[in-house]
Amino acid sequence: MAPLNILIVGCGIAGPTLATFLLLSPVPATEKPRITIVERSSAIRSQGQNIDIRGVGVAVIRKLGLEAAVRAATTGEEGVQWVTKENHVWASIPASGDAGFHSPTSDIEIMRGRLAEICWNRSKALSDDIQRKGGAGIDFIFGDHLSDLRQERAKVCVQFAKSGDSKTYDLVVGADGLHSETRKMVWGADGEEERVKQLGMYGAFFSIPPADTDTKWRRCFHTAGRRVMMLRPDNQSGRTTVFLNIVNEKDSRLHDAARNGHDGVEAQKGLIKEYFHDAGWESDRVLGEMMETKDFYYETVAQVKMETWSKEKVVLLGDAGYCPSPMSGMGTTLAMYGAYTLAGALVQHPQDISAALAKYEQTMRPSVDDAQRLMPGMLRLMNPETPWGVCMVDTVIKFLIWTRLIRVLMMLKGSKTATKPVDEYGFEQLPDWRE
C-alpha cells in the first residue's frame, strides 16, 4: 500500500513536531508518509510570548534529541517576583523543574518563536536525511493557505489560495492555532463562539530595550482595575519581554480589537495605552517603548473546547483543537504531547485512519480535560478591581509563601499530564542535535 499522504496546516510548534515523529516511524524510508506543511506566513513566525515546557513535554523533546538545543535557547528566567510601585520585591518563587510542582516559572522557559524555529530546523534536517534514503520527506509551503477544503470518497480535497493548486490528501491536520481556519472550514464558522470560550482577559505581548531595573527574574506588578504588568528577561535577544493583561468582560472594544489581528496594531496599542497610562510602576517606560516596538502582539485569552477533534479525515492538533489558555501553563506541552500521540496512533493503525484518530482522542482527552480545568473565578479573584482588593490578594500571597503553603497549592494546581509517563510507539530515538 502507498505511504500516507498527509497535509499539516501550520508550521508552528505542533506541526513540525508531528511531521518529525511521522518520519521516525519504524518502517523503511520509502514507506514513510509523504508530508506537506503549509504556513500562511512567508517564514517561521518569530513573534509570541514566553512559553514553557513541562513533564511529558520534556520527554517529547528528549525523544527528538532536542533537549540540549532547547535548553541552550532558554530565556534564563530564574523565577517570579512580585513588586511594589516603588519596585520593592515583596514575594518571590524560584524556577523549578519539578513536574509535580507547578511553579510559575519552569526550568525550560523559551520564546515561542525560538522553539518553533528549533522544531522546524529539526524537521528539515530529518526530512533531508529521509529524502537521501529514497523517501518523500516533507514539502514546506510558506506564504500560502487553504481557500477550500472538501471531503470526498475517503480523501480530502483542498485548494491553495495563492498558488491555486488543487490537491488530494489522505489526512489533513489542522495545527493552525487558536483562530484555526481549518476548524472553521470543517466544523463551520457559525459555531466558533461556542467552541472558543472567552475568559474575559486580554493581553499584549512585545519586547523593549533592557533597563537597569531589569534582572534575571520575572517582575510582576498588579494594580487596581484588574491590570497586571510583567517584565521578563530574554538572554537570547538581550531584550526585556512584556506582558500586559486586563481582565474586563464589559468593554467590547477589547474583544473587537483582538478580532482585527495584525491589521489593527495601532488601535490595539492605543487601547492598551488608555488602560495602563495611570498604572504606575514602570508604565511610562513600558508604554513609551510599546509605541515604537515592531513585535507587538495583542490577543484574547481563551480556551478551545470541542466534543471531538476529528471529522472524517480531518483532525485538529494543539491550540486549534484544545487550547488550554496561557493561564494553564500547559499549552506548549499539550501541543507537543498531542503531536507525539497522533503520530503514535497513526503508526499503530497505518491502514485505518479512523481508528488512529479515535485512539488519538481517547489517549489525549484526559490530559486535555485536566489541563483546561481552571479554578472558577480565578481570573477575577487574582486580578482585583479595587486597591483594597489588591491589598487583600497581596496579603494572601505573602501568607502562602511565608507558610510554604504555596508549594502545596502549586502541587494541587499542577496538571497530572506533567507527571504521567508517555506511551512507546517504536519511534527511532534521535541523537542529540544542535543547530
Side-chain angles (χ1 to χ4, degrees), residues 53-357:
I53 304 173
R54 303 172 185 265
V56 293
V58 179
V60 170
I61 63 172
R62 284 175 180 159
K63 289 180 177 296
L64 295 173
L66 289 179
E67 183 175 12
V70 169
R71 288 189 182 277
T74 55
T75 64
E77 184 171 298
E78 296 182 356
V80 59
Q81 296 174 331
W82 285 267
V83 299
T84 66
K85 63 182 180 180
E86 293 83 16
N87 204 40
H88 298 146
V89 177
W90 56 266
S92 62
I93 300 176
S96 172
D98 182 352
F101 174 59
H102 202 83
S103 171
T105 298
S106 165
D107 66 330
I108 302 182
E109 294 281 342
I110 187 171
M111 300 305 294
R112 180 214 163 274
R114 187 70 185 95
L115 180 59
E117 184 180 36
I118 291 172
C119 292
W120 174 55
N121 285 334
R122 188 67 189 96
S123 67
K124 282 197 304 177
L126 181 59
S127 175
D128 291 344
D129 183 55
I130 295 298
Q131 289 171 350
R132 283 192 291 269
K133 296 176 180 177
I138 308 170
D139 179 21
F140 293 94
I141 302 174
F142 285 94
D144 209 341
H145 61 280
L146 301 186
S147 59
D148 188 43
L149 184 156
R150 292 171 287 108
Q151 305 203 56
E152 299 177 355
R153 293 192 290 263
K155 297 285 185 177
V156 186
C157 304
V158 305
Q159 184 170 34
F160 292 88
K162 291 193 176 179
S163 69
D165 293 344
S166 295
K167 295 187 178 181
T168 301
Y169 298 91
D170 298 309
L171 176 67
V172 171
V173 181
D176 44 348
L178 175 64
H179 302 292
S180 170
E181 290 298 323
T182 308
R183 187 181 65 233
K184 295 173 187 176
M185 281 181 156
V186 177
W187 277 264
D190 291 344
E192 280 294 279
E193 288 191 7
E194 178 63 24
R195 291 187 288 265
V196 182
K197 308 292 186 180
Q198 302 294 332
L199 299 182
M201 174 182 279
Y202 303 87
F205 310 90
F206 53 96
S207 68
I208 63 177
D212 292 341
T213 52
D214 295 328
T215 70
K216 291 186 176 181
W217 287 70
R218 179 198 326 185
R219 292 182 297 144
C220 179
F221 173 74
H222 66 143
T223 187
R226 306 192 191 281
R227 298 170 295 174
V228 174
M229 303 173 65
M230 291 185 195
L231 272 63
R232 310 179 70 170
D234 179 13
N235 283 351
Q236 304 302 311
S237 68
R239 292 172 68 83
T240 294
T241 60
V242 179
F243 174 40
L244 305 180
N245 75 255
I246 309 153
V247 175
N248 188 309
E249 299 174 350
K250 298 179 179 179
D251 189 346
S252 61
R253 296 178 303 162
L254 293 166
H255 184 63
D256 292 343
R259 286 180 174 176
N260 294 330
H262 192 70
D263 293 335
V265 166
E266 293 308 313
Q268 293 164 356
K269 286 183 177 182
L271 191 56
I272 291 295
K273 185 174 182 179
E274 176 185 329
Y275 266 89
F276 282 90
H277 75 280
D278 60 348
W281 189 44
E282 298 193 21
S283 59
D284 289 345
R285 167 203 171 194
V286 168
L287 295 178
E289 296 290 355
M290 178 190 74
M291 301 309 292
E292 303 298 326
T293 190
K294 303 299 182 185
D295 59 2
F296 180 90
Y297 177 71
Y298 175 86
E299 183 60 280
T300 180
V301 177
Q303 294 184 324
V304 175
K305 294 191 174 184
M306 302 178 64
E307 293 184 1
T308 180
W309 305 316
S310 63
K311 183 172 286 191
E312 297 182 48
K313 298 301 185 291
V314 178
V315 63
L316 300 176
L317 174 63
D319 281 358
Y322 39 85
C323 174
S325 89
M327 298 302 101
S328 72
M330 289 295 294
T332 304
T333 293
L334 271 187
M336 301 192 84
Y337 179 48
Y340 174 79
T341 302
L342 177 55
L346 289 167
V347 164
Q348 288 183 328
H349 303 278
Q351 309 301 327
D352 190 342
I353 291 177
S354 296
L357 300 185

